[in-house]
Amino acid sequence: MRIVPVLTAIAAMALPASVLAASATIENLHWTAEPVGYISVCVFVIAYLFVVLEERTQLKKSKPVLIAASLIWGLIAIQGQATSGAAAEALQAGFHTIFLDFAELFFFLVVAMSFVSAISERNIFEALRANLASRGFSYRQLFWLTGVASFFLSPLVDNLTTALVMSGVLLAVGKDSPRFVAISFVNLVVAANAGGAWSAFGDITTLMVWQAQKVEFFEFFVLFVPSLVSWLIPAAIMHFWVPSRTPEPSVDDADIRPGGMAICALFGVTIAITVVGKQILGLPAVFGMMAGLSLLNLLAYWIARRERQDKRIADGATTYSIFRIIANAEWDTLLFFYGVLLSVGGLATLGYIELLSSGIYGGWGHTWANIALGPLSAIIDNIPIMYAVLQMNPPIDHGQWLLITLTCGIGGSLLAVGSAAGVALMGRSEGRYTFFSHLRWTWAIAIGYVAGVAVHLWLNAALFTNGVWR
C-alpha cells in the first residue's frame, strides 16, 4: 500500500465490528442517472487526477480528495433535501456509518504510525541501515538482503516505511552505481507490497478486510506462499542485471538511543493485545492499539526521566514527549483516507458501486473480476478499490476474499505510481529510480503477479467453496 503508515473512538468501540461492512447499511438512492450523480463522478475523477499528479504538482494528495468528499456529500445533501425527508434521513445515516468506518481506521493508524515514528526517533532504522551498509556486502547480496528484509518487515510496519528504511541502505552503498539503485528500488517496491499482503497489519487494504470480518487474523497467513512467489519470480529475473561487484563499505555511525529496543518490544506486545482482543474478546482492533498507546505513554515518561537524570538534554530544552511523536504521524495520509472513504461512500449512496458490482462480478465472474482489480489498483489506488469492493459486498466465498486481498496487495507493484512505496522512492532517488525505470520491469512483475495468483488458486483451492472459476 499505498504505506506506514493507514484508521469518535468510544463510539467506534461501542459498535459491533460488523458495522465496518458498510455496504450492508448504506442505502442506495439510485441517483446514477441524475445530474448530481454525473457531477459527483466528475468531481471524484478530477480529484484523483490531482492525486496521481502529486509528484508533478507538489499538491498533497489529501487536499483534492478532501475537497471532493465535501463537494460530493454537499451535492447529495442538496438533492436529498429537494427530494424527500426520507432521503435526507438515509443520507445522514449513511454519512454516520462511513465516518465511523474512518474513525476506527483513523485511531488504529494513528497508533501504528506513532509506534513507527517512535522507533525511528530512537535510531532503530538508522542503526539497521548503518549496520548493513558497513558489512561489505556485494551489490547482489544487498539486492537480496534488502528484498528479504522488506518482505518480512512490511507485515509489521507498512510498505512505505519499509521501503524508505531499506532505500537508505541502497543509497548509501550504491551512490556510485545508478543502475544498481534503480533496479534495487524496483525490488524494494515489489517485496514491500508482497510482504504486506499476507498480514492484517501489512497494508491498509488487509486491515480493512480484517476489520470488516471478511478474513480472520491468522487466515491471512495462507497468502504467505502466493505473496512470496509474486516477489521471488521478478527478483530472480532481475538478479542477473544487478552488478556483481562489491562497493566500498561505509562507516557504522549510528547507535540505538535509550529505550529503542523497549519500544520495539512494546510494539510486539501491542499487536498481541490487538489480536487477542479481537479474536478472543470480540473487541474492535482499535481497542488493542489504544491500549498499546497508553503503554507507550508510560514508556515515554520513563525515557524522559532517564534523559533528565543522565543530563542528556540541555537545561531548558524540551524533554522526550510522546505527543511530539504522534504529531509526526503521516497526517496527509490519514486525511487522504478520510477523503477517499467519504468520496467512495458518496458514490455508493448514489448507486454507482452497486452498478459497478453487478457489471464486474455479474458479468466477469468472481475470480476474473478479482484478478482484474489488481492491475487496476496500480492505476487508481488499492484503498478505494478495496473500499469499493467492501461497499459492493459481493456474495463471494472465503477464497475469493483472500484473492482480492492478494491482488490489491501485489497489483500496485506493476507501476511505480501504483503504491505509496513507489511514489516515495521516486522522490528520494534523485532521478535514479523513475516511472520508466520501473516500467522496464513491469513484464517481470506481471509474471510474478500471475504466478502468485495461480499459486493461491491452486494451493488454497479448498477455500473456494463455490468453485475457483465461478
Side-chain angles (χ1 to χ4, degrees):
M1 198 189 105
R2 281 185 213 215
I3 180 287
V4 250
V6 227
L7 74 163
T8 219
I10 296 176
M13 287 189 287
L15 289 171
S18 59
V19 75
L20 287 171
S23 54
T25 56
I26 296 179
E27 183 173 342
N28 180 359
L29 297 176
H30 301 286
W31 288 348
T32 55
E34 299 288 334
V36 65
Y38 299 139
I39 296 172
S40 296
V41 171
C42 290
V43 167
F44 183 71
V45 170
I46 292 171
Y48 233 88
L49 285 175
F50 278 102
V51 172
V52 172
L53 297 173
E54 177 187 10
E55 185 183 11
R56 184 177 296 272
T57 63
Q58 299 300 308
L59 180 68
K60 294 293 186 181
K61 60 181 176 294
S62 63
K63 301 181 189 300
V65 293
L66 283 173
I67 294 173
S70 301
L71 288 175
I72 289 171
W73 278 98
L75 290 168
I76 294 173
I78 293 171
Q79 178 74 8
Q81 292 292 336
T83 304
S84 67
E89 292 179 5
L91 292 176
Q92 292 178 11
F95 184 90
H96 288 155
T97 298
I98 299 166
F99 187 80
L100 289 175
D101 286 0
F102 168 75
E104 186 168 339
L105 193 63
F106 172 84
F107 282 102
F108 186 105
L109 289 178
V110 163
V111 178
M113 289 177 176
S114 297
F115 266 104
V116 172
S117 182
I119 291 170
S120 179
E121 191 275 341
R122 293 286 95 180
N123 260 17
I124 298 292
F125 295 140
E126 187 64 15
L128 174 63
R129 176 204 63 77
N131 183 271
L132 285 175
S134 65
R135 290 297 185 92
F137 293 119
S138 70
Y139 281 136
R140 287 186 173 178
Q141 287 175 318
L142 284 167
F143 174 86
W144 284 103
L145 281 171
T146 54
V148 170
S150 296
F151 184 82
F152 287 100
L153 183 61
S154 184
L156 296 177
V157 288
D158 60 80
N159 64 347
L160 175 58
T161 301
T162 299
L164 289 175
V165 170
M166 291 298 110
S167 69
V169 179
L170 297 173
L171 289 173
V173 300
K175 54 183 179 294
D176 297 325
S177 180
R179 183 164 69 103
F180 166 71
V181 172
I183 195 169
S184 295
F185 272 28
V186 176
N187 186 48
L188 282 188
V189 172
V190 178
N193 289 340
W198 58 274
S199 167
F201 290 89
D203 199 334
I204 303 304
T205 53
T206 56
L207 176 61
M208 292 165 70
V209 172
W210 182 43
Q211 289 186 324
Q213 294 186 325
K214 302 301 183 183
V215 179
E216 295 301 329
F217 182 82
F218 296 103
E219 293 171 342
F220 284 103
F221 295 165
V222 303
L223 294 178
F224 174 82
V225 175
S227 299
L228 183 63
V229 168
S230 73
W231 163 60
L232 280 179
I233 288 179
I237 294 173
M238 290 186 288
H239 166 86
F240 298 100
W241 278 265
V242 178
S244 58
R245 65 187 181 89
T246 300
E248 289 293 327
S250 60
V251 178
D252 186 348
D253 55 356
D255 296 318
I256 297 175
R257 301 175 68 183
M261 297 308 296
I263 293 176
C264 291
L266 186 57
F267 190 28
V269 171
T270 300
I271 292 174
I273 294 173
T274 302
V275 174
V276 170
K278 191 171 191 305
Q279 300 296 121
I280 298 178
L281 302 180
L283 292 168
V286 70
F287 159 79
M289 297 301 287
M290 294 301 289
L293 182 61
S294 67
L295 297 176
L296 182 59
N297 267 284
L298 290 177
L299 181 57
Y301 170 75
W302 174 81
I303 293 174
R305 283 200 60 179
R306 178 172 176 177
E307 286 185 343
R308 284 193 296 268
Q309 292 170 354
D310 294 350
K311 297 182 179 179
R312 286 192 170 91
I313 57 174
D315 292 338
T318 306
T319 58
Y320 184 86
S321 171
I322 192 59
F323 297 106
R324 283 199 305 277
I325 296 296
I326 294 174
N328 291 330
E330 289 284 340
W331 290 98
D332 177 60
T333 300
L334 291 168
L335 293 176
F336 171 74
F337 294 154
Y338 171 84
V340 167
L341 265 61
L342 264 291
S343 297
V344 174
L347 296 179
T349 302
L350 290 166
Y352 284 106
I353 300 301
E354 182 177 307
L355 194 66
L356 188 63
S357 177
S358 61
I360 294 179
Y361 284 97
W364 298 357
H366 298 163
T367 299
W368 286 115
N370 288 333
I371 293 173
L373 289 175
L376 185 61
S377 72
I379 301 171
I380 302 176
D381 189 88
N382 62 353
I383 295 171
I385 293 291
M386 180 56 77
Y387 192 67
V389 172
L390 291 173
Q391 292 282 347
M392 296 175 194
N393 198 23
I396 57 179
D397 57 31
H398 206 56
Q400 295 290 353
W401 278 113
L402 286 166
L403 176 59
I404 186 60
T405 300
L406 176 68
T407 57
C408 275
I410 65 177
S413 301
L414 291 166
L415 297 175
V417 296
S419 67
V423 173
L425 293 190
M426 280 194 294
R428 191 170 187 185
S429 68
E430 299 177 348
R432 283 170 284 187
Y433 169 69
T434 65
F435 176 86
F436 291 103
S437 67
H438 189 105
L439 189 65
R440 178 185 177 189
W441 297 103
T442 293
W443 64 273
I445 301 168
I447 293 174
Y449 177 84
V450 172
V453 170
V455 168
H456 171 61
L457 296 178
W458 167 68
L459 195 63
N460 302 315
L463 299 175
F464 293 82
T465 56
N466 295 325
V468 170
W469 295 108
R470 179 174 179 268

